[in-house]
Amino acid sequence: VQLQASGGGLVQAGGSLRLSCAASGRSFSIYAMGWFRQAPGNEREFVAAITRNGGTTDFAHSVKGRFAVAKDNAKNTVYLQMNSLKPEDTAVYYCAARSTSSSSRSIWSYWGQGTQVTVSS
């Protein structure tokens, strides 16, 4: 499975951005797709995830109510809609995918390249 993330950019605080992650290869094997982010000097952290079938979602506390995640199975693409952005949301955002169910937010098999999101104050 190959993942291609896009949509990052520079936005003012309070603004919105939508990230996309397109899967290719054995995308039919994907159980869930997720988003992570890593700010300079920080560890990579979980942001959100969605299951391919059923669309069950999971969000980090820090983004709940501001971010939404959606999927388009026909396009093998997952979207991260980020609203009410804050400077602390500035990070490189990565998409990930896994082929099995897991109660852990840390177990992912496939990773895409990152896309930079910068929120100015």
Side-chain angles (χ1 to χ4, degrees), residues 6 8 65 68 88:
S6 61
E88 51 263 42

Side-chain angles (χ1 to χ4, degrees), residues 4-34:
Q4 181 72 39
S6 61
L10 173 65
V11 65
Q12 288 189 331
S16 299
L17 274 178
R18 189 179 79 158
L19 305 183
S20 301
C21 178
S24 60
R26 294 175 60 87
S27 57
F28 61 87
S29 69
I30 292 174
Y31 174 82
M33 294 182 71

Side-chain angles (χ1 to χ4, degrees), residues 36-101:
F36 288 74
R37 66 187 182 186
Q38 186 168 20
N42 291 355
E43 293 185 354
R44 186 170 59 191
E45 64 176 359
F46 171 82
V47 176
I50 187 168
T51 58
R52 180 181 175 88
N53 298 320
T56 300
T57 57
D58 184 22
F59 294 93
H61 177 74
S62 59
V63 307
K64 194 172 292 185
R66 300 189 297 121
F67 289 12
V69 61
K71 61 184 178 69
D72 185 335
N73 288 348
K75 296 181 178 179
N76 293 316
T77 299
V78 169
Y79 305 95
L80 183 68
Q81 178 66 43
M82 304 184 293
N83 301 321
S84 301
L85 282 162
K86 305 175 181 180
E88 51 263 42
D89 294 318
T90 295
V92 177
Y93 283 70
Y94 300 88
C95 63
R98 62 187 179 205
S99 300
T100 58
S101 173

